[in-house]
Amino acid sequence: MKQSKFKAPNALIQDTRLSYSARRLGCVFFSFSNPMGICRKSYDRLATLAQCSRKTVIRGVKQLVKYGYISFHNTYHYDQKAGRAVYGKNCYCINAELLREGYTLISRDVFRYTLSDAFFTIFMAIFTCFGNSKRAWPSISMLEKMTGAARSTVCAGLLLLKELPILLVQHCLKKTRQFTSNSYILVQDSSANGTTAPSENPKPEQDLPNCLDHSTVPTPCKAFQNLFSTAKRLFSSFSNLVVRFLHNKVRT
């Protein structure tokens, strides 16, 4: 499947006045709207895309309208069986002015993963920290402030998100061996969703993304370097023992 992206306003992701489900629903509206900013989908279809119930969609729409993220009006069509005009799909219009204040390009593959609304919001907040690069170092406190979630919720979400094939989480240490902010690396993989079968024509190794800054398998160069470092330390220790032995002989 061809990978596509949508523009998610940063204000929507970081607006703590909205519930987690409303922010997720807002991402659905901005993702599946046409170039004119119009989205026409039923409540059932929105509930499927946002992975929530129909009642949650109705509450989310009210919150998004209240805080100016979308607007909508009812549509009608003639029903031959009823012999009268009946309600059709609502016509939603996103607030494109929010994109001028700042937005983040996010892959539509994020809607494939089965995540709770809180974990989805944390996922979007991490995407916001990437900016124009593929690596970011947001702290847990920063994610708490951006999403309005408790620290325990953020930590639980990170444990789940690190298992996704689209995100690589590394634990970083200072020179003092103290933990610092985690390193998050964006790994673009449009077909890895945990449920689909692997592609019949996989990409060659040279076409893989070069966003990984480390290798878990030691290369021959690294192995030789490690062997040289070990030999150097052994030679240094042996030299110190020889010097001490000769020093003691001279004193006696």
Side-chain angles (χ1 to χ4, degrees):
M1 184 177 111
K2 185 177 179 181
Q3 191 177 26
S4 58
K5 298 182 179 180
F6 70 98
K7 296 179 180 179
N10 299 335
L12 170 65
I13 300 172
Q14 303 178 23
D15 194 346
T16 56
R17 299 174 301 177
L18 300 173
S19 63
Y20 298 131
S21 57
R23 279 180 266 185
R24 186 173 192 167
L25 181 62
C27 289
V28 171
F29 282 126
F30 279 88
S31 175
F32 294 95
S33 60
N34 59 24
M36 299 298 295
I38 304 298
C39 178
R40 295 190 61 184
K41 294 187 180 299
S42 63
Y43 283 142
D44 294 334
R45 180 56 180 165
L46 291 174
T48 301
L49 294 173
Q51 299 183 17
C52 62
S53 64
R54 183 187 177 95
K55 293 182 179 180
T56 304
V57 170
I58 296 175
R59 290 195 299 265
V61 168
K62 291 181 180 180
Q63 292 185 31
L64 293 172
V65 172
K66 178 180 179 181
Y67 295 108
Y69 289 96
I70 63 172
S71 60
F72 79 98
H73 63 271
N74 297 323
T75 60
Y76 304 89
H77 70 274
Y78 183 80
D79 190 353
Q80 294 182 354
K81 292 183 178 180
R84 57 184 176 85
V86 297
Y87 284 109
K89 297 178 181 179
N90 293 336
C91 183
Y92 303 95
C93 181
I94 63 173
N95 186 0
E97 294 295 329
L98 296 173
L99 300 176
R100 299 180 181 180
E101 301 176 2
Y103 64 87
T104 302
L105 286 175
I106 301 177
S107 172
R108 287 189 175 89
D109 289 340
V110 297
F111 295 107
R112 295 182 177 184
Y113 304 108
T114 304
L115 300 171
S116 65
D117 296 331
F119 294 168
F120 182 87
T121 305
I122 296 172
F123 198 14
M124 294 298 100
I126 295 175
F127 269 100
T128 304
C129 298
F130 282 127
N132 296 325
S133 64
K134 293 183 179 180
R135 194 166 188 172
W137 293 266
S139 62
I140 295 179
S141 300
M142 182 178 179
L143 294 176
E144 288 182 65
K145 184 177 180 181
M146 293 176 63
T147 60
R151 188 178 185 87
S152 58
T153 304
V154 174
C155 294
L158 294 179
L159 289 177
L160 180 61
L161 295 178
K162 68 188 300 184
E163 302 297 332
L164 300 181
I166 199 174
L167 192 66
L168 177 64
V169 183
Q170 293 177 312
H171 299 290
C172 301
L173 294 174
K174 299 180 181 178
K175 292 183 179 180
T176 57
R177 310 300 297 175
Q178 294 180 347
F179 282 102
T180 183
S181 300
N182 294 335
S183 173
Y184 302 90
I185 302 176
L186 179 62
V187 182
Q188 295 292 351
D189 188 358
S190 59
S191 63
N193 58 1
T195 57
T196 59
S199 175
E200 297 180 357
N201 299 318
K203 293 184 179 180
E205 187 174 355
Q206 60 269 19
D207 293 340
L208 293 176
N210 56 358
C211 59
L212 298 179
D213 297 338
H214 75 289
S215 176
T216 56
V217 181
T219 60
C221 295
K222 289 187 177 181
F224 178 78
Q225 185 178 3
N226 294 335
L227 180 61
F228 179 78
S229 301
T230 304
K232 185 177 179 180
R233 290 195 300 269
L234 292 175
F235 179 76
S236 178
S237 301
F238 179 75
S239 299
N240 292 333
L241 291 175
V242 172
V243 170
R244 290 181 183 178
F245 176 77
L246 295 177
H247 182 68
N248 292 334
K249 283 291 185 181
V250 171
R251 290 181 61 183
T252 55

